[in-house]
Amino acid sequence: MAADAPKISPADVAAGLMSVKIDGMQDLPITGLKMVKTGEQIVFMSSNGRFALYGGKLLDVWTQQEIKDLPDIDRIARRIDLSRMKLNIDDLGPVTVGRGKDSVLIFIDPRCPYCGKVMKDLQALQDHYTFKLVMVPILGQESQNIVVQLACQQASKDQKVQDSVRQRLLKQDYAGLPTDNPASCNKEPLQRAIVTAKLFGLPGVPFLIAPDGRTHSGAPESLTDWLENKPAVVQAPAKTDKTEKKP
């Protein structure tokens, strides 16, 4: 009688994949999939390193969970569970708004009008949520200058300076900001923010991650309803008078 093969938990496999020495990697003629060689093992991984096909199992490497069935796609794969990731949001230099128990991560560009809508809407929810606004410059050189200036000021230990950054961002008022690169500035949080945005594969901004891991690209019609995971209300078409007029 053959001995049973040793059982390896998905968590152990996922943890191992995050720390292995990669001997080679090649793009496959399949969109978004790579073949990774590590020692004698071959692993197929998504381009951002999140999903791995290993030993017949599909793993979410970020959260160390196995995807076994179709419902897992919505429960795991379509969410970003920050609580399971080794990612400290404060390392990204966020601007914090609110004092609620549940935390909401939002990637924004300071000049984005849809980001402005979200920042306006969230101000009524400050008692219920803590919003972490992470700046990423995606709208060109002017955005890049604003993000650098605000990020450098945000790194200040002076609370008044941090409050000024928050107000500028919420009002999208950047008048008077210098245009020259700051002489002394720790840009590491900004660099981490940009890398994280690429890792998450942001399709655009604003990009929101709810406390339960649900994501949303763009400004929700109702931020409150989206955060509470309420179904979108579909408006019924207006009634029209179809009575034909006789000549």
Side-chain angles (χ1 to χ4, degrees):
M1 184 175 181
D4 292 334
K7 293 184 178 179
I8 303 175
S9 73
D12 290 339
V13 175
L17 289 173
M18 297 179 74
S19 59
V20 296
K21 176 181 179 296
I22 295 176
D23 298 322
M25 180 182 293
Q26 288 289 335
D27 287 328
L28 291 169
I30 305 173
T31 302
L33 192 65
K34 294 179 180 291
M35 175 184 285
V36 179
K37 186 175 187 296
T38 168
E40 298 300 319
Q41 296 179 337
I42 296 294
V43 180
F44 295 94
M45 298 194 74
S46 60
S47 296
N48 65 351
R50 177 172 184 182
F51 301 107
L53 186 60
Y54 174 85
K57 299 178 183 292
L58 180 61
L59 306 177
D60 181 347
V61 177
W62 291 359
T63 62
Q64 301 186 9
Q65 297 180 88
E66 184 179 357
I67 299 172
K68 299 179 180 179
D69 204 350
L70 291 178
D72 293 339
I73 300 296
D74 182 64
R75 185 178 63 86
I76 301 174
R78 289 181 179 165
R79 302 190 182 210
I80 299 178
D81 189 345
L82 297 172
S83 65
R84 287 177 172 265
M85 299 178 66
K86 296 179 180 179
L87 175 65
N88 184 355
I89 301 304
D90 289 334
D91 288 342
L92 310 182
V95 174
T96 301
V97 181
R99 51 198 166 273
K101 178 182 177 182
D102 294 324
S103 183
V104 183
L105 177 60
I106 308 177
F107 288 88
I108 62 169
D109 182 298
R111 297 174 57 238
C112 159
Y114 301 105
C115 300
K117 178 187 182 307
V118 172
M119 289 190 289
K120 180 180 179 181
D121 293 346
L122 66 80
Q123 294 180 56
L125 304 173
Q126 295 186 57
D127 290 336
H128 304 285
Y129 300 94
T130 295
F131 297 93
K132 300 282 187 175
L133 308 180
V134 175
M135 297 178 287
V136 287
I138 68 169
L139 296 179
Q141 185 61 44
E142 187 176 349
S143 288
Q144 182 173 334
N145 178 66
I146 292 172
V147 169
V148 169
Q149 298 295 340
L150 293 183
C152 289
Q153 293 181 22
Q154 176 68 11
S156 169
K157 300 296 183 181
D158 190 330
Q159 188 61 49
K160 290 184 179 180
V161 175
Q162 293 184 353
D163 290 343
S164 175
V165 171
R166 183 183 303 108
Q167 291 306 312
R168 277 188 178 276
L169 201 58
L170 292 177
K171 296 178 181 179
Q172 291 190 307
D173 178 9
Y174 313 117
L177 280 177
T179 56
D180 296 333
N181 283 330
S184 177
C185 173
N186 178 15
K187 295 182 181 178
E188 287 187 9
L190 176 56
Q191 292 167 348
R192 292 193 191 100
I194 293 172
V195 170
T196 303
K198 290 182 178 180
L199 181 70
F200 286 170
L202 263 65
V205 289
F207 184 79
L208 300 82
I209 303 178
D212 62 1
R214 287 177 298 111
T215 64
H216 191 283
S217 180
E221 183 174 346
S222 169
L223 180 60
T224 301
D225 288 351
W226 180 75
L227 287 170
E228 295 177 357
N229 201 16
K230 292 182 179 179
V233 177
V234 179
Q235 298 291 340
K239 293 182 178 180
T240 58
D241 187 0
K242 296 182 179 180
T243 304
E244 293 183 2
K245 294 181 179 181
K246 294 182 180 180

